């Protein structure tokens, strides 16, 4: 671990002599001296100066101009008197920009960094007499000058926002915690005031519901009150009717909408009058998602296509991200092409606005440490599971699929060789691939029994694979617990006696081995993690830690385990909702409560999946751990951005395979920064030509994305069948598409063919609530006449009045007399068959006739 770090006041001018501020009798004094601390400003006089965290940074060594450190602005007492301006609390626990507010009528002109200024409490945009050397004239917001808080940008932010304030499209690149949101708010404020007579409409896109709530709060805090009341969010969970969305977009009731992107995509789908000209400014938070099939990309394509019509005025575009990425590029040249392509989406006139110094400082602030461990632990429980259960199932599957019966039907999968390393993810991929291949034989008379047997056996192998992962990552008891939980929850595991008895007959021995193994040896990976955490909390008792893991179930079990290992650890899981009932799924309210507990003192450790890697603003952490979890370059950069306290550590516990992935990430990160520099160094003429070339490529690729064949009407010939037993569940013609992403089934008789596994209601997205799983009730293929039990769909509350079934793409096959298709998604079905839309106006009529009625 590094023993020293550079201290830097990120709010001072990098190229100016060192300037620091301190509070004296409620005023600020400007002094040029060495190592003088900035005294933070606050509204909280109750907090003692002694409460200031010891690891916060307040000063800079003279002469240091290129090495930053992310810093906190903890609450400190201010001494306000009636004659002194009152300064709002620095609400920057996340490391973002402090905001200064004015609550009286004092008008004190100020320019941050001006050595002659003694009071700095008024926003630049409210000062009509701007410095002459600026190339952006900010408009006075009077009479819209009544604020909750007045925004004051730091010098590097003022520089980086100039092009956007001038009305240009731009992509702003700043590391996590350096105030991208505040830069965007500055643009929004000026945009609203410049267009207040032209009915402005600002859309602030965010990828997640949690981020929508967070960003809306910030925006409302800093907008003038005249605009603050005209800001709201629309997310899937808002359950706002489609007609109301149209009113909000078209009307003047709200000027700023913070939305998840699919909301606006749905708006374009449902309204024939929808137009890109309905908006005047589009802000894309976490802009790096704008690729492939992401909703961001769909929205940007609409702007591109509309922009080809000179008569159409497309909105101003602003992208925000900590890392622009390089996609699949494996060379610097390809990385340059990718970055130019991202710039072309917005038709940029210049390369993205960024700050090399800020990026360098954000990386220098974090120590990266690694702990290498073995790929898989050697334990008796894993050996027993593999030798006594998994190997037996593999042999039975191979014998059936290569039997003479299959050959007589002219069906053969070829030789079947399961991967020998059952801890490797390739094993799970092989099992899933084999399951897909077996599905195609369902329709063959005489093979159904063998196919069903193999499908159930393969489901068992997937479950045992995940159990091995839990044993490898945590304790043996967690693997056994997972098996017991899954088999008790889902009837499919108990549907064939020979397969089910293989587990039941070995269960007692498995549990005995688990108790012995956990009593004798702790998992070395867990031991290493525990020791690192104990050392951290011994040095800094109020530390905050985020641990990233790959699976939701690992997050839940690890949080429970850490709480048991040491009372100092107050751990809580933080995971996505997910469409399934897999252990560990959390709804938005549960995630909000977890974040609130982490911001306070209830939790000091969050065990999270990738849902926490980006976007959500959380308290700066002393340590971020990637626990046997190494993804791509962007994920690494986002994880590093969570470690923002001085001397913070990015700890990675990894094996040799993950180490290779980490090396690849480091190489790609270098490619990205080198490619960015190459783009910056392009002459304006070369950059403009490259943007034009990529714009043409994007418009051409739109045409190439069109399907080669015209979808057909499925009629009564195409059935939806259970993937496991091939029983017919209904007609594809009864499936509808609602709000582009949902596929309700208009078939009142469906309850004759499925069972409902009830569960607590859980909001999925777009306000649609899942109230249960649909299980295949076919008994004809079961030797003990139990129902098939395969999970084939979800029972949803589409509106408050009506419930509809929706097929799960992983649980069904689409079948006709000519072929059987295992769809990868609904898009693959729509390329072949027409799926009719269901409009919001038709819900009542459809619900009265076709809503799901449980038998």
């Amino acid at each position: 671990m590094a023993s020293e770090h550079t201290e830097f006041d990120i709010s001072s001018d990098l190229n100016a002599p060192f300037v620091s501020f301190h509070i004296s009798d409620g005023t600020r004094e400007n002094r040029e001296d060495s190592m003088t601390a900035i005294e933070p400003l606050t509204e909280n006089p109750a907090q003692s100066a002694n409460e200031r965290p010891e690891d916060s940074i307040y000063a800079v060594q003279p002469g240091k101009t290129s090495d930053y450190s992310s810093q906190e602005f903890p609450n400190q007492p201010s001494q306000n008197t009636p004659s002194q301006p009152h300064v709002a609390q620095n609400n920057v626990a996340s490391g973002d920009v402090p905001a200064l507010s004015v609550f009286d009528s004092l008008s004190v002109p100020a320019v941050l960094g001006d050595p002659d200024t003694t009071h700095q409490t008024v926003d630049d945009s409210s000062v009509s007499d701007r410095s002459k050397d600026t190339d952006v004239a900010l408009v006075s917001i009077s009479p819209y000058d009544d604020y909750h808080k007045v925004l004051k940008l730091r010098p590097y932010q003022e520089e980086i926002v100039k092009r956007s304030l001038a009305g240009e499209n731009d992509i702003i690149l700043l590391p996590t915690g350096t105030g991208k949101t505040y830069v965007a708010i500055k643009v929004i404020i000026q945009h609203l005031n410049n267009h207040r007579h032209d009915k402005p409409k600002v859309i602030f896109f965010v990828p997640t519901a949690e981020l929508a709530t967070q960003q809306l709060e910030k925006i409302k805090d800093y907008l003038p009150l005249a605009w603050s009341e005209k800001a709201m969010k629309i997310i899937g969970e808002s359950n706002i009717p489609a007609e109301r969305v149209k009113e909000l977009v078209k009307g003047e009731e709200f000027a700023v909408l913070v939305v998840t992107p699919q909301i606006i995509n749905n708006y374009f789908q449902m309204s024939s009058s929808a137009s890109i000209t309905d908006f005047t400014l589009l802000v894309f938070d976490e802009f790096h998602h704008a690729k492939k099939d992401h909703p961001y990309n769909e929205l940007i394509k609409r702007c591109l296509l509309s922009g080809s019509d000179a008569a159409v005025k497309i909105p101003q575009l602003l992208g925000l991200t900590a890392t622009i990425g390089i996609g699949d590029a494996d060379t610097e040249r390809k990385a340059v092409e990718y970055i130019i392509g991202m710039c072309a989406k917005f038709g940029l006139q210049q390369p993205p606005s960024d700050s090399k110094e800020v990026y360098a400082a954000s990386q220098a602030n974090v120590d990266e440490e690694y702990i290498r461990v073995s790929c898989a632990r050697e334990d008796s429980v894993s050996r027993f599971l593999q030798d006594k259960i998994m190997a037996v199932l593999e042999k039975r599957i191979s014998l059936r699929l290569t039997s003479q019966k299959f050959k007589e039907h002219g069906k053969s999968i070829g030789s079947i060789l399961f991967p020998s390393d059952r801890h490797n993810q390739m094993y799970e991929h092989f099992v899933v691939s084999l399951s897909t291949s077996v599905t195609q034989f369902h329709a063959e008379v005489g093979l159904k029994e063998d196919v069903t047997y193999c499908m159930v056996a393969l489901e068992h192998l997937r479950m045992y694979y995940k159990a091995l992962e839990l044993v490898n990552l945590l304790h043996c008891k967690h693997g056994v617990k997972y098996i017991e939980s899954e088999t008790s929850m889902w009837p499919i595991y108990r549907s064939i006696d020979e397969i089910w008895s293989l587990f039941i007959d070995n269960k007692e021995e498995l549990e005995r081995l688990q108790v012995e193994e956990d009593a004798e040896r702790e998992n070395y990976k867990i031991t290493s993690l525990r020791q690192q955490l104990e050392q951290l909390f011994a040095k800094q008792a109020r530390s905050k830690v985020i641990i990233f893991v790959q699976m939701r179930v690992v997050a839940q079990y690890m949080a429970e385990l850490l709480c048991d290992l040491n009372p100092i650890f107050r751990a809580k899981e933080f995971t996505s909702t997910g469409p399934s009932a897999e252990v560990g799924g959390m709804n938005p309210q549960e995630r909000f409560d977890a974040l609130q507990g982490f911001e306070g003192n209830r939790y000091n450790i969050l065990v999270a999946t990738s849902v926490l890697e980006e976007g959500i603003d959380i308290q700066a952490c002393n340590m971020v751990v990637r626990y046997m979890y190494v993804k791509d370059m962007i994920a690494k950069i986002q994880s590093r951005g969570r470690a923002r306290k001085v001397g913070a550590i990015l700890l990675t516990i990894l094996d040799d395979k993950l180490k290779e992935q980490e090396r690849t990430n480091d190489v790609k990160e270098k490619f990205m920064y080198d490619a960015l520099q190459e783009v910056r160094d392009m002459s304006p003429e070369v950059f403009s030509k490259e943007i034009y070339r990529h714009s043409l490529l994007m418009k051409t690729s739109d045409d190439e994305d069109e399907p080669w064949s015209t979808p057909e009407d499925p009629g009564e010939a195409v059935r939806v069948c259970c993937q496991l037993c091939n029983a017919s569940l209904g007609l594809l013609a009864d499936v509808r598409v609602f709000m582009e992403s949902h596929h309700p089934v208009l078939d009142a008789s469906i309850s004759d063919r499925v069972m409902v596994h009830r569960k607590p209601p859980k909001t999925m997205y777009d306000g649609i609530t899942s109230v249960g799983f649909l299980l295949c009730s076919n008994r004809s293929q079961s030797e003990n006449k139990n129902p098939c039990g395969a999970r084939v769909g979800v029972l949803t509350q589409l509106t408050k009045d009506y419930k509809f079934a929706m097929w799960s793409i992983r649980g069904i096959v689409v079948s006709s007399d000519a072929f059987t298709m295992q769809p990868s998604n609904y898009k693959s079905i729509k390329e072949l068959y027409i799926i009719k839309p269901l409009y919001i106006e038709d819900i009542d009529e459809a619900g009265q006739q076709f809503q799901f009625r449980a038998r």
Side-chain angles (χ1 to χ4, degrees), residues 578-720:
S580 71
E582 180 183 279
V583 178
M586 298 174 72
N587 62 40
Q589 183 59 48
E590 290 171 329
R591 290 197 294 273
F592 176 80
D593 292 342
L595 285 178
Q596 290 291 98
F598 190 66
E599 291 290 338
N601 293 317
R602 191 162 27 135
Y603 309 122
N604 53 18
I605 300 173
L606 281 184
V607 186
T609 55
S610 59
V611 69
L612 196 59
E613 281 176 350
E614 63 180 25
I616 301 172
D617 209 1
I618 57 175
Q619 184 170 335
C621 295
N622 304 78
M623 177 182 285
V624 172
V625 182
R626 293 183 295 164
Y627 184 80
M628 298 296 292
Y629 178 60
V630 176
K631 282 177 64 182
D632 57 17
M633 174 200 67
I634 289 180
K636 179 181 180 179
I637 293 173
Q638 299 281 13
S639 297
R640 183 196 295 141
R642 294 303 187 192
R644 297 202 300 272
K645 283 200 174 181
V646 175
I649 301 169
L650 175 62
L651 173 67
T652 306
I653 299 176
L654 76 177
D655 56 25
D656 289 339
K657 182 181 178 182
L658 293 177
K659 184 179 179 182
E660 288 303 312
Q661 176 63 43
E662 186 73 345
R663 285 182 180 143
T664 301
N665 290 339
D666 291 339
V667 170
K668 285 196 167 189
E669 188 172 1
K670 184 177 186 305
F671 282 161
M672 183 181 72
Y673 290 125
D674 289 347
L676 273 171
Q677 187 58 51
E678 185 173 335
V679 172
R680 291 188 199 102
D681 292 341
M682 287 180 178
S683 68
E685 294 78 12
V686 171
F687 183 80
S688 179
K689 287 180 180 179
E690 288 294 304
I691 294 297
Y692 179 72
R693 179 173 65 86
H694 276 267
S695 298
L696 292 178
L697 288 173
M698 284 188 289
K699 290 177 181 178
T700 303
S701 65
D702 286 343
D703 295 333
E704 292 174 351
D705 286 342
E706 294 298 321
W708 289 100
S709 58
T710 303
E712 300 175 357
D713 187 337
E716 297 186 3
V718 184
R719 303 178 301 277
V720 175

Side-chain angles (χ1 to χ4, degrees), residues 301-321:
K301 283 180 182 179
R302 293 185 185 279
C303 292
L304 283 170
L305 295 174
S306 300
S308 59
D309 184 349
V312 175
K313 182 176 176 56
I314 65 171
Q316 181 183 353
L317 305 175
L318 175 61
L320 309 172
T321 182

Side-chain angles (χ1 to χ4, degrees), residues 414-426:
S415 61
I416 298 174
L417 184 63
F418 283 85
S420 58
D421 184 359
R422 299 185 181 94
H423 288 276
N424 194 304
Q425 197 169 19
M426 290 302 298

